[in-house]
Amino acid sequence: MRLLRARALVPVSGPPVADGAVLMAGGRIGKVGRWRDLRREAKGKPLDLGEVALMPGLVNAHCHLDYTDMAGQLAPPTVFSDWLKLITEAKQGWSLADYQASWTRGAQMLARTGTTTVGDIEAVPRLLPGAWRTTPLRVVSFLEMIGITNRRPPATVLAEANETVEKLSAPGRRLGLSPHAPYSTVPELLRLTARTSRQQRWRLAVHVAESALEFEMFTHGRGSMYDWLKRSGRDMTDCGLGSPVRHLGRCGLLSPRLLAVHVNYLARGDADMLARRGVHVAHCPRSHAYFRHDPFPLRRLARAGVNICLGTDSLATVYQGRRQSAELNLFAEMRSLAAANPQLRGRKILEMASVNGAQALGLEGRAGVLRAGAWADLIAVSFSGPLRTVYRAILEHNGEVAASMIGGRWALAPDWTRATSSNSPL
Ligand SMILES: [Zn+2]
Protein backbone atom coordinates (compact mmCIF):
# COMPACT_ATOMS: atom_id res chain seq x y z
CA MET A 1 0.00 0.00 0.00
CA ARG A 2 1.74 3.17 -1.19
CA LEU A 3 0.60 6.62 -0.16
CA LEU A 4 0.63 9.89 -2.12
CA ARG A 5 0.15 13.21 -0.32
CA ALA A 6 -0.91 16.54 -1.89
CA ARG A 7 -1.85 20.04 -0.77
CA ALA A 8 -5.28 19.55 -2.36
CA LEU A 9 -7.11 16.46 -3.45
CA VAL A 10 -9.80 16.86 -6.10
CA PRO A 11 -11.64 13.53 -6.31
CA VAL A 12 -14.29 14.96 -8.75
CA SER A 13 -16.78 12.43 -7.32
CA GLY A 14 -16.83 14.49 -4.08
CA PRO A 15 -15.71 17.84 -2.64
CA PRO A 16 -12.01 18.82 -2.65
CA VAL A 17 -9.93 17.86 0.41
CA ALA A 18 -7.18 20.02 1.92
CA ASP A 19 -3.94 18.17 2.73
CA GLY A 20 -5.23 15.01 1.10
CA ALA A 21 -3.85 11.58 0.41
CA VAL A 22 -4.46 8.60 -1.86
CA LEU A 23 -3.62 5.07 -0.82
CA MET A 24 -2.85 2.70 -3.70
CA ALA A 25 -2.27 -1.00 -4.20
CA GLY A 26 -1.89 -3.19 -7.27
CA GLY A 27 -2.48 -0.37 -9.74
CA ARG A 28 -5.77 0.61 -8.11
CA ILE A 29 -6.92 3.13 -5.55
CA GLY A 30 -7.48 1.74 -2.05
CA LYS A 31 -8.56 4.80 -0.08
CA VAL A 32 -8.94 8.54 -0.61
CA GLY A 33 -9.07 11.05 2.24
CA ARG A 34 -7.21 13.36 4.58
CA TRP A 35 -3.49 12.84 5.10
CA ARG A 36 -3.90 12.76 8.85
CA ASP A 37 -6.43 9.90 8.58
CA LEU A 38 -4.47 7.79 6.11
CA ARG A 39 -0.83 8.41 7.06
CA ARG A 40 -0.55 5.34 9.29
CA GLU A 41 -1.88 2.93 6.68
CA ALA A 42 1.06 3.34 4.31
CA LYS A 43 3.58 0.57 3.90
CA GLY A 44 6.86 2.09 2.85
CA LYS A 45 7.74 5.75 2.61
CA PRO A 46 4.84 8.03 1.54
CA LEU A 47 5.49 10.32 -1.41
CA ASP A 48 4.67 13.95 -0.66
CA LEU A 49 3.88 15.73 -3.95
CA GLY A 50 3.79 19.07 -2.13
CA GLU A 51 2.09 22.15 -3.56
CA VAL A 52 -0.14 20.44 -6.09
CA ALA A 53 -3.77 19.61 -6.76
CA LEU A 54 -4.05 15.85 -7.21
CA MET A 55 -6.99 14.69 -9.34
CA PRO A 56 -8.08 11.88 -11.64
CA GLY A 57 -6.31 11.58 -14.97
CA LEU A 58 -8.36 13.30 -17.67
CA VAL A 59 -10.46 11.34 -20.13
CA ASN A 60 -10.35 12.61 -23.71
CA ALA A 61 -13.46 11.05 -25.18
CA HIS A 62 -12.80 11.92 -28.82
CA CYS A 63 -9.55 12.19 -30.71
CA HIS A 64 -7.89 11.32 -34.02
CA LEU A 65 -4.28 10.74 -33.00
CA ASP A 66 -3.26 9.80 -36.55
CA TYR A 67 -4.03 13.35 -37.82
CA THR A 68 -1.88 15.16 -35.21
CA ASP A 69 0.73 16.29 -37.73
CA MET A 70 -1.92 18.02 -39.82
CA ALA A 71 -1.85 20.81 -37.22
CA GLY A 72 -2.11 24.20 -38.89
CA GLN A 73 -2.21 22.74 -42.41
CA LEU A 74 -5.89 23.26 -43.18
CA ALA A 75 -7.21 26.81 -42.92
CA PRO A 76 -10.69 27.10 -41.35
CA PRO A 77 -13.15 26.81 -44.26
CA THR A 78 -16.23 28.95 -44.85
CA VAL A 79 -18.13 25.88 -46.00
CA PHE A 80 -17.89 22.61 -44.02
CA SER A 81 -17.88 20.36 -47.08
CA ASP A 82 -14.83 22.25 -48.43
CA TRP A 83 -12.93 21.07 -45.35
CA LEU A 84 -13.86 17.45 -46.11
CA LYS A 85 -12.35 17.88 -49.57
CA LEU A 86 -9.18 19.45 -48.09
CA ILE A 87 -8.53 16.65 -45.58
CA THR A 88 -9.22 13.96 -48.19
CA GLU A 89 -6.58 15.60 -50.39
CA ALA A 90 -4.09 16.01 -47.52
CA LYS A 91 -4.44 12.33 -46.56
CA GLN A 92 -3.51 11.19 -50.06
CA GLY A 93 0.04 12.47 -49.61
CA TRP A 94 0.62 10.57 -46.36
CA SER A 95 2.48 7.28 -45.95
CA LEU A 96 1.94 4.69 -43.24
CA ALA A 97 5.09 5.99 -41.51
CA ASP A 98 3.61 9.51 -41.50
CA TYR A 99 0.46 8.28 -39.76
CA GLN A 100 2.53 6.27 -37.29
CA ALA A 101 4.70 9.24 -36.33
CA SER A 102 1.64 11.48 -36.11
CA TRP A 103 -0.25 9.02 -33.87
CA THR A 104 2.67 8.69 -31.48
CA ARG A 105 3.30 12.44 -31.33
CA GLY A 106 -0.37 13.00 -30.49
CA ALA A 107 -0.27 10.42 -27.72
CA GLN A 108 2.84 12.09 -26.28
CA MET A 109 1.05 15.48 -26.24
CA LEU A 110 -1.92 14.01 -24.39
CA ALA A 111 0.23 12.19 -21.83
CA ARG A 112 2.23 15.38 -21.11
CA THR A 113 -0.93 17.43 -20.62
CA GLY A 114 -2.83 15.20 -18.22
CA THR A 115 -4.92 12.83 -20.32
CA THR A 116 -4.67 9.23 -19.11
CA THR A 117 -7.49 7.68 -21.18
CA VAL A 118 -8.39 8.53 -24.77
CA GLY A 119 -11.18 7.46 -27.11
CA ASP A 120 -9.44 7.43 -30.48
CA ILE A 121 -10.85 7.05 -33.98
CA GLU A 122 -8.52 4.83 -36.00
CA ALA A 123 -8.60 5.72 -39.70
CA VAL A 124 -5.52 3.50 -40.20
CA PRO A 125 -6.09 0.33 -38.15
CA ARG A 126 -2.86 -1.11 -39.61
CA LEU A 127 -1.02 1.06 -37.06
CA LEU A 128 -2.37 -1.22 -34.34
CA PRO A 129 -1.26 -2.87 -32.14
CA GLY A 130 2.18 -1.27 -32.69
CA ALA A 131 0.94 2.27 -31.96
CA TRP A 132 -0.51 1.21 -28.59
CA ARG A 133 2.94 0.04 -27.49
CA THR A 134 4.37 3.54 -28.00
CA THR A 135 2.22 5.09 -25.25
CA PRO A 136 1.35 4.54 -21.59
CA LEU A 137 -2.15 5.95 -22.26
CA ARG A 138 -5.23 3.78 -22.01
CA VAL A 139 -6.63 3.87 -25.53
CA VAL A 140 -10.16 2.91 -26.56
CA SER A 141 -9.73 2.46 -30.32
CA PHE A 142 -12.78 2.89 -32.54
CA LEU A 143 -12.17 1.48 -36.02
CA GLU A 144 -13.41 3.95 -38.62
CA MET A 145 -15.72 2.85 -41.43
CA ILE A 146 -16.61 5.06 -44.41
CA GLY A 147 -18.48 4.32 -47.63
CA ILE A 148 -20.98 6.43 -49.52
CA THR A 149 -21.64 4.05 -52.40
CA ASN A 150 -22.53 0.41 -52.60
CA ARG A 151 -19.43 -0.37 -54.67
CA ARG A 152 -18.05 -1.94 -51.52
CA PRO A 153 -21.10 -3.58 -49.98
CA PRO A 154 -21.75 -2.40 -46.38
CA ALA A 155 -21.66 -6.02 -45.21
CA THR A 156 -18.09 -6.32 -46.56
CA VAL A 157 -16.97 -3.06 -44.91
CA LEU A 158 -18.35 -4.26 -41.58
CA ALA A 159 -16.98 -7.79 -41.96
CA GLU A 160 -13.47 -6.36 -42.47
CA ALA A 161 -13.77 -4.18 -39.36
CA ASN A 162 -15.09 -7.15 -37.35
CA GLU A 163 -12.14 -9.23 -38.48
CA THR A 164 -9.72 -6.51 -37.36
CA VAL A 165 -11.42 -6.31 -33.96
CA GLU A 166 -11.15 -10.09 -33.53
CA LYS A 167 -7.51 -10.10 -34.59
CA LEU A 168 -6.58 -7.31 -32.17
CA SER A 169 -8.66 -8.52 -29.25
CA ALA A 170 -6.75 -9.46 -26.10
CA PRO A 171 -7.25 -8.90 -22.37
CA GLY A 172 -6.91 -5.23 -21.44
CA ARG A 173 -7.45 -3.99 -25.01
CA ARG A 174 -10.49 -1.85 -25.78
CA LEU A 175 -11.94 -1.76 -29.25
CA GLY A 176 -15.10 -0.37 -30.77
CA LEU A 177 -16.48 0.61 -34.17
CA SER A 178 -16.97 4.01 -35.72
CA PRO A 179 -19.19 4.42 -38.74
CA HIS A 180 -17.78 7.87 -39.57
CA ALA A 181 -20.96 9.98 -39.92
CA PRO A 182 -24.48 9.73 -41.36
CA TYR A 183 -23.47 11.62 -44.52
CA SER A 184 -20.31 9.56 -45.19
CA THR A 185 -22.02 6.18 -44.80
CA VAL A 186 -25.15 4.47 -46.11
CA PRO A 187 -28.06 3.41 -43.86
CA GLU A 188 -27.37 -0.28 -44.43
CA LEU A 189 -23.89 0.06 -42.85
CA LEU A 190 -25.39 1.87 -39.84
CA ARG A 191 -28.10 -0.78 -39.40
CA LEU A 192 -25.62 -3.66 -39.62
CA THR A 193 -23.25 -1.90 -37.21
CA ALA A 194 -26.09 -1.36 -34.73
CA ARG A 195 -26.92 -5.07 -34.89
CA THR A 196 -23.29 -6.10 -34.33
CA SER A 197 -22.98 -3.68 -31.42
CA ARG A 198 -26.09 -5.19 -29.79
CA GLN A 199 -24.86 -8.75 -30.28
CA GLN A 200 -21.23 -8.21 -29.28
CA ARG A 201 -21.86 -5.38 -26.78
CA TRP A 202 -19.25 -3.31 -28.63
CA ARG A 203 -19.09 0.42 -28.13
CA LEU A 204 -19.66 2.82 -31.01
CA ALA A 205 -18.63 6.37 -31.86
CA VAL A 206 -20.28 8.36 -34.66
CA HIS A 207 -19.82 12.01 -35.71
CA VAL A 208 -23.33 13.40 -35.96
CA ALA A 209 -25.02 16.76 -36.62
CA GLU A 210 -21.62 18.42 -36.75
CA SER A 211 -22.43 21.07 -39.36
CA ALA A 212 -25.46 23.12 -40.42
CA LEU A 213 -25.02 21.60 -43.89
CA GLU A 214 -25.37 18.04 -42.56
CA PHE A 215 -28.47 19.11 -40.63
CA GLU A 216 -29.96 20.70 -43.76
CA MET A 217 -29.09 17.66 -45.88
CA PHE A 218 -30.93 15.18 -43.64
CA THR A 219 -33.75 17.40 -42.39
CA HIS A 220 -34.70 19.06 -45.66
CA GLY A 221 -32.96 17.04 -48.39
CA ARG A 222 -31.18 20.06 -49.86
CA GLY A 223 -28.13 22.32 -49.56
CA SER A 224 -24.56 22.31 -50.82
CA MET A 225 -23.51 19.14 -48.95
CA TYR A 226 -26.56 17.37 -50.35
CA ASP A 227 -25.70 18.50 -53.90
CA TRP A 228 -22.02 17.59 -53.58
CA LEU A 229 -22.66 14.08 -52.22
CA LYS A 230 -25.38 13.47 -54.81
CA ARG A 231 -22.91 14.35 -57.56
CA SER A 232 -20.42 11.95 -55.92
CA GLY A 233 -22.86 9.07 -56.41
CA ARG A 234 -24.31 8.75 -52.89
CA ASP A 235 -27.89 7.43 -52.77
CA MET A 236 -29.74 10.39 -51.21
CA THR A 237 -33.06 8.68 -50.50
CA ASP A 238 -32.24 8.72 -46.75
CA CYS A 239 -32.42 12.55 -46.77
CA GLY A 240 -35.45 14.77 -46.15
CA LEU A 241 -36.81 12.38 -43.52
CA GLY A 242 -35.73 14.20 -40.31
CA SER A 243 -32.66 15.39 -38.41
CA PRO A 244 -29.29 13.54 -38.39
CA VAL A 245 -30.07 12.33 -34.83
CA ARG A 246 -33.42 10.92 -36.06
CA HIS A 247 -31.54 9.24 -38.89
CA LEU A 248 -29.31 7.41 -36.40
CA GLY A 249 -32.46 6.48 -34.47
CA ARG A 250 -34.10 4.99 -37.58
CA CYS A 251 -30.96 2.92 -38.16
CA GLY A 252 -31.13 1.54 -34.60
CA LEU A 253 -27.92 3.18 -33.37
CA LEU A 254 -29.20 5.13 -30.36
CA SER A 255 -28.21 3.19 -27.24
CA PRO A 256 -26.05 3.61 -24.10
CA ARG A 257 -23.17 2.05 -26.10
CA LEU A 258 -23.14 5.03 -28.50
CA LEU A 259 -20.90 8.06 -28.18
CA ALA A 260 -22.40 10.73 -30.44
CA VAL A 261 -19.65 13.18 -31.37
CA HIS A 262 -20.35 16.93 -31.88
CA VAL A 263 -24.21 17.08 -31.91
CA ASN A 264 -24.10 20.81 -32.65
CA TYR A 265 -27.47 21.00 -34.41
CA LEU A 266 -30.64 19.62 -32.86
CA ALA A 267 -34.22 19.39 -34.05
CA ARG A 268 -37.04 19.64 -31.54
CA GLY A 269 -37.20 16.42 -29.54
CA ASP A 270 -33.64 15.29 -30.41
CA ALA A 271 -32.16 16.09 -26.97
CA ASP A 272 -34.95 14.16 -25.20
CA MET A 273 -34.52 11.21 -27.53
CA LEU A 274 -30.74 11.09 -26.90
CA ALA A 275 -31.38 11.21 -23.14
CA ARG A 276 -34.08 8.53 -23.24
CA ARG A 277 -31.83 6.14 -25.14
CA GLY A 278 -28.84 6.80 -22.85
CA VAL A 279 -26.61 8.13 -25.67
CA HIS A 280 -23.46 10.03 -24.60
CA VAL A 281 -22.37 13.24 -26.34
CA ALA A 282 -18.77 14.37 -26.88
CA HIS A 283 -18.27 18.10 -27.35
CA CYS A 284 -14.97 19.33 -28.83
CA PRO A 285 -14.81 23.06 -27.94
CA ARG A 286 -11.78 24.12 -30.02
CA SER A 287 -12.90 22.17 -33.09
CA HIS A 288 -16.34 23.77 -32.63
CA ALA A 289 -14.74 27.24 -32.57
CA TYR A 290 -12.56 26.45 -35.62
CA PHE A 291 -15.62 25.74 -37.77
CA ARG A 292 -17.60 28.68 -36.29
CA HIS A 293 -20.66 26.53 -35.73
CA ASP A 294 -23.78 27.87 -34.00
CA PRO A 295 -23.41 27.77 -30.18
CA PHE A 296 -23.19 24.21 -28.82
CA PRO A 297 -26.64 23.29 -27.34
CA LEU A 298 -25.13 22.53 -23.93
CA ARG A 299 -28.14 23.66 -21.90
CA ARG A 300 -30.69 21.78 -23.99
CA LEU A 301 -28.68 18.55 -23.76
CA ALA A 302 -27.90 18.96 -20.06
CA ARG A 303 -31.52 19.77 -19.17
CA ALA A 304 -32.68 16.68 -21.02
CA GLY A 305 -30.22 14.67 -18.89
CA VAL A 306 -27.68 13.68 -21.56
CA ASN A 307 -24.19 12.71 -20.35
CA ILE A 308 -21.88 15.30 -21.98
CA CYS A 309 -18.12 14.82 -22.10
CA LEU A 310 -15.17 16.53 -23.77
CA GLY A 311 -12.83 15.63 -26.61
CA THR A 312 -9.97 17.32 -28.39
CA ASP A 313 -10.95 16.07 -31.87
CA SER A 314 -7.88 16.15 -34.13
CA LEU A 315 -5.30 18.92 -34.43
CA ALA A 316 -6.41 19.31 -38.06
CA THR A 317 -9.42 21.20 -36.61
CA VAL A 318 -7.73 23.31 -33.96
CA TYR A 319 -6.95 26.84 -35.02
CA GLN A 320 -3.24 27.57 -34.99
CA GLY A 321 -2.15 31.17 -35.42
CA ARG A 322 1.15 32.20 -36.99
CA ARG A 323 4.18 31.29 -34.88
CA GLN A 324 1.90 29.31 -32.55
CA SER A 325 1.88 25.58 -32.18
CA ALA A 326 -1.34 23.94 -31.15
CA GLU A 327 -1.25 20.88 -28.91
CA LEU A 328 -3.74 18.15 -28.11
CA ASN A 329 -4.58 19.29 -24.59
CA LEU A 330 -7.79 18.83 -22.58
CA PHE A 331 -6.95 21.81 -20.32
CA ALA A 332 -7.10 24.01 -23.44
CA GLU A 333 -10.47 22.42 -24.32
CA MET A 334 -11.78 23.10 -20.79
CA ARG A 335 -10.70 26.74 -21.12
CA SER A 336 -12.32 27.08 -24.52
CA LEU A 337 -15.56 25.64 -23.09
CA ALA A 338 -15.39 28.05 -20.11
CA ALA A 339 -14.87 31.03 -22.43
CA ALA A 340 -17.95 30.13 -24.47
CA ASN A 341 -20.03 29.35 -21.35
CA PRO A 342 -19.08 31.78 -18.55
CA GLN A 343 -22.00 30.55 -16.41
CA LEU A 344 -20.57 27.03 -16.22
CA ARG A 345 -18.90 26.08 -12.92
CA GLY A 346 -15.33 24.82 -12.86
CA ARG A 347 -16.37 21.61 -11.16
CA LYS A 348 -18.88 20.82 -13.93
CA ILE A 349 -16.22 21.43 -16.57
CA LEU A 350 -13.76 19.11 -14.84
CA GLU A 351 -16.49 16.45 -14.56
CA MET A 352 -16.99 16.63 -18.32
CA ALA A 353 -13.25 16.05 -18.83
CA SER A 354 -13.06 13.13 -16.43
CA VAL A 355 -15.98 11.16 -14.95
CA ASN A 356 -18.41 11.90 -17.82
CA GLY A 357 -15.84 10.83 -20.41
CA ALA A 358 -15.19 7.61 -18.52
CA GLN A 359 -18.91 6.86 -18.53
CA ALA A 360 -19.11 7.57 -22.26
CA LEU A 361 -16.30 5.09 -22.97
CA GLY A 362 -17.80 2.38 -20.73
CA LEU A 363 -15.19 2.87 -17.98
CA GLU A 364 -17.47 4.17 -15.24
CA GLY A 365 -16.04 3.68 -11.74
CA ARG A 366 -12.63 2.73 -13.17
CA ALA A 367 -11.39 5.94 -14.86
CA GLY A 368 -12.07 9.63 -14.26
CA VAL A 369 -12.54 9.45 -10.48
CA LEU A 370 -10.47 9.14 -7.32
CA ARG A 371 -12.43 6.49 -5.49
CA ALA A 372 -11.72 3.11 -3.88
CA GLY A 373 -11.52 0.45 -6.58
CA ALA A 374 -10.81 2.86 -9.47
CA TRP A 375 -7.58 2.59 -11.47
CA ALA A 376 -4.68 4.53 -9.96
CA ASP A 377 -4.76 7.01 -12.88
CA LEU A 378 -3.84 10.36 -11.31
CA ILE A 379 -2.44 13.70 -12.34
CA ALA A 380 -1.05 16.63 -10.39
CA VAL A 381 -0.91 20.32 -11.30
CA SER A 382 0.82 23.09 -9.36
CA PHE A 383 -1.45 24.61 -6.75
CA SER A 384 -0.63 26.79 -3.76
CA GLY A 385 -3.81 28.81 -3.19
CA PRO A 386 -6.77 28.37 -0.83
CA LEU A 387 -8.94 25.28 -1.43
CA ARG A 388 -11.96 27.31 -2.64
CA THR A 389 -9.92 28.44 -5.67
CA VAL A 390 -8.82 24.96 -6.72
CA TYR A 391 -11.19 24.50 -9.69
CA ARG A 392 -10.24 27.90 -11.08
CA ALA A 393 -6.54 27.07 -10.69
CA ILE A 394 -7.06 23.77 -12.53
CA LEU A 395 -8.80 25.52 -15.44
CA GLU A 396 -5.98 28.05 -15.63
CA HIS A 397 -3.27 25.39 -15.73
CA ASN A 398 -1.10 25.71 -18.80
CA GLY A 399 1.46 23.36 -20.31
CA GLU A 400 2.82 20.11 -18.92
CA VAL A 401 1.28 18.63 -15.75
CA ALA A 402 3.51 18.23 -12.68
CA ALA A 403 3.01 14.46 -12.67
CA SER A 404 0.87 11.78 -14.27
CA MET A 405 0.34 8.19 -13.20
CA ILE A 406 -1.47 5.41 -15.05
CA GLY A 407 -2.32 2.18 -13.22
CA GLY A 408 0.10 3.08 -10.40
CA ARG A 409 3.07 3.71 -12.75
CA TRP A 410 4.45 7.11 -13.60
CA ALA A 411 3.61 8.20 -17.14
CA LEU A 412 5.25 11.51 -16.22
CA ALA A 413 7.18 11.32 -12.96
CA PRO A 414 7.33 14.36 -10.65
CA ASP A 415 10.50 16.41 -11.19
CA TRP A 416 12.44 15.26 -8.18
CA THR A 417 11.93 11.55 -8.87
CA ARG A 418 12.70 11.73 -12.61
CA ALA A 419 16.44 11.61 -12.12
CA THR A 420 16.35 8.64 -9.78
CA SER A 421 13.33 6.38 -10.05
CA SER A 422 11.63 7.37 -13.29
CA ASN A 423 8.86 4.98 -14.35
CA SER A 424 9.35 2.68 -11.41
CA PRO A 425 6.12 0.96 -10.44
CA LEU A 426 4.77 2.09 -7.10
ZN1 LIG B 1 -13.72 13.68 -34.96
Side-chain angles (χ1 to χ4, degrees), residues 62-64 121 144 180 207 210 261-262 284 287 313-314 317:
H62 180 68
C63 190
H64 301 256
I121 307 294
E144 185 171 80
H180 173 260
H207 299 87
E210 179 171 9
V261 181
H262 299 311
C284 305
S287 171
D313 215 348
S314 81
T317 55

Side-chain angles (χ1 to χ4, degrees), residues 102-180:
S102 188
W103 196 106
T104 301
R105 213 179 326 276
Q108 285 165 347
M109 288 178 186
L110 289 180
R112 271 202 307 270
T113 54
T115 290
T116 53
T117 296
V118 57
D120 194 45
I121 307 294
E122 313 290 355
V124 191
R126 273 185 300 161
L127 299 180
L128 306 175
W132 289 332
R133 294 193 199 104
T134 66
T135 180
L137 295 176
R138 298 187 195 273
V139 186
V140 182
S141 286
F142 295 94
L143 308 184
E144 185 171 80
M145 298 181 287
I146 294 188
I148 58 164
T149 65
N150 282 324
R151 266 195 301 268
R152 285 183 70 231
T156 310
V157 174
L158 183 64
E160 279 173 16
N162 287 355
E163 224 171 86
T164 310
V165 171
E166 312 257 300
K167 213 166 63 197
L168 290 169
S169 287
R173 291 182 177 173
R174 293 177 184 83
L175 288 142
L177 297 176
S178 177
H180 173 260

Side-chain angles (χ1 to χ4, degrees), residues 318-378:
V318 170
Y319 179 72
Q320 180 172 287
R322 268 188 212 174
R323 293 198 203 94
Q324 282 181 319
S325 62
E327 258 207 325
L328 291 171
N329 181 344
L330 267 183
F331 285 94
E333 300 296 343
M334 288 195 277
R335 269 195 296 283
S336 175
L337 177 70
N341 301 273
Q343 83 290 352
L344 208 55
R345 287 171 180 268
R347 176 175 176 177
K348 282 275 163 219
I349 295 176
L350 186 58
E351 279 175 4
M352 289 169 73
S354 55
V355 62
N356 294 10
Q359 199 184 333
L361 295 176
L363 303 173
E364 199 176 2
R366 286 179 281 174
V369 284
L370 299 188
R371 171 195 294 168
W375 290 322
D377 294 0
L378 315 152

Side-chain angles (χ1 to χ4, degrees), residues 291-324:
F291 284 114
R292 300 186 201 95
H293 295 305
D294 287 355
F296 175 65
L298 181 73
R299 257 187 220 187
R300 281 168 76 187
L301 290 166
R303 271 194 198 145
V306 175
N307 176 44
I308 309 168
C309 55
L310 289 186
T312 55
D313 215 348
S314 81
L315 274 192
T317 55
V318 170
Y319 179 72
Q320 180 172 287
R322 268 188 212 174
R323 293 198 203 94
Q324 282 181 319

Side-chain angles (χ1 to χ4, degrees), residues 186-205:
V186 292
E188 181 65 1
L189 180 64
L190 300 182
R191 276 193 288 270
L192 292 174
T193 305
R195 197 173 70 190
T196 302
S197 159
R198 272 194 305 275
Q199 288 166 348
Q200 307 279 357
R201 312 194 65 75
W202 287 348
R203 299 199 80 84
L204 304 173

Side-chain angles (χ1 to χ4, degrees), residues 78-97:
T78 35
V79 180
F80 183 78
S81 42
D82 284 350
W83 185 86
L84 296 171
K85 294 170 199 167
L86 284 177
I87 191 160
T88 309
E89 228 169 78
K91 280 165 74 171
Q92 279 162 5
W94 275 37
S95 68
L96 192 63

